[in-house]
Amino acid sequence: MKLAEESEMDLVMISANANPPVCRIMDYGKFLYEQTKKVKEAKKNQKVVNIKEIRLSPTIEEHDIEIKANNARKFLQDEDKVKVTVRFRGREADYSYKGNSILDLFVSKIEDVCVVEKAAKLEGRNMIMILAPKRA
């Protein structure tokens, strides 16, 4: 403590559980400032992945699929993931095989910019597929 007072620094306990306890003489304010600076830099460099959702129905027409595929293409080019959902209502749930064919057609329209991250799966009344952007 005497050395810390003489150098006008702080005595910081690094490891209290060690035997004997480990301490360091440092400027604690400067240390905290550098830590927050490192955290901000790490936050700035990380990439946030957004998931955009596109909903289809089992009775969708070819042209409508094309329009939705073009929207999905824009999302994928912006490095976002796309969740494609086919929603079955009422008796449509009996024809879940149509959902598979619609999702396959949808993927075939944009396969040059996407990778199927999670294949089509029926979850309750929805069939869900997740697409990720293709890496260069």
Side-chain angles (χ1 to χ4, degrees), residues 17-116:
N17 298 335
N19 192 8
V22 179
C23 296
R24 180 190 262 176
I25 297 173
M26 68 167 95
D27 184 359
Y28 192 62
K30 184 178 178 183
F31 173 74
L32 287 178
Y33 171 73
E34 288 173 353
Q35 288 294 99
T36 56
K37 205 171 178 183
K38 283 181 189 175
V39 169
K40 281 183 184 176
E41 188 67 29
K43 220 178 222 184
K44 187 169 75 173
N45 290 337
Q46 74 184 162
K47 174 78 172 92
V48 177
V49 177
N50 293 324
I51 297 182
K52 305 284 189 171
E53 184 175 9
I54 292 185
R55 289 187 182 158
L56 308 172
S57 86
T59 57
I60 192 167
E61 291 295 322
E62 177 81 22
H63 184 258
D64 298 331
I65 290 177
E66 238 169 73
I67 289 171
K68 299 232 181 205
N70 287 336
N71 288 337
R73 181 183 302 275
K74 289 176 193 168
F75 297 148
L76 290 164
Q77 287 170 344
D78 290 341
E79 298 292 314
D80 294 329
K81 290 184 180 181
V82 176
K83 177 180 174 184
V84 186
T85 305
V86 178
R87 180 188 280 162
F88 297 103
R89 292 164 30 211
R91 293 188 189 135
E92 292 174 347
D94 296 338
Y95 304 101
S96 60
Y97 63 90
K98 283 187 176 182
N100 259 336
S101 62
I102 287 170
L103 288 174
D104 290 340
L105 178 63
F106 186 85
V107 170
S108 70
K109 301 245 184 232
I110 58 171
E111 64 189 350
D112 57 321
V113 293
C114 77
V115 173
V116 177

Side-chain angles (χ1 to χ4, degrees), residues 2 13 65 121:
K2 188 183 276 185
M13 190 176 290
I65 290 177
K121 184 179 174 191

Side-chain angles (χ1 to χ4, degrees), residues 1-11 25-27:
M1 288 181 77
K2 188 183 276 185
L3 285 171
E5 287 175 9
E6 287 173 7
S7 60
E8 297 178 356
M9 295 267 202
D10 302 315
L11 184 66
I25 297 173
M26 68 167 95
D27 184 359

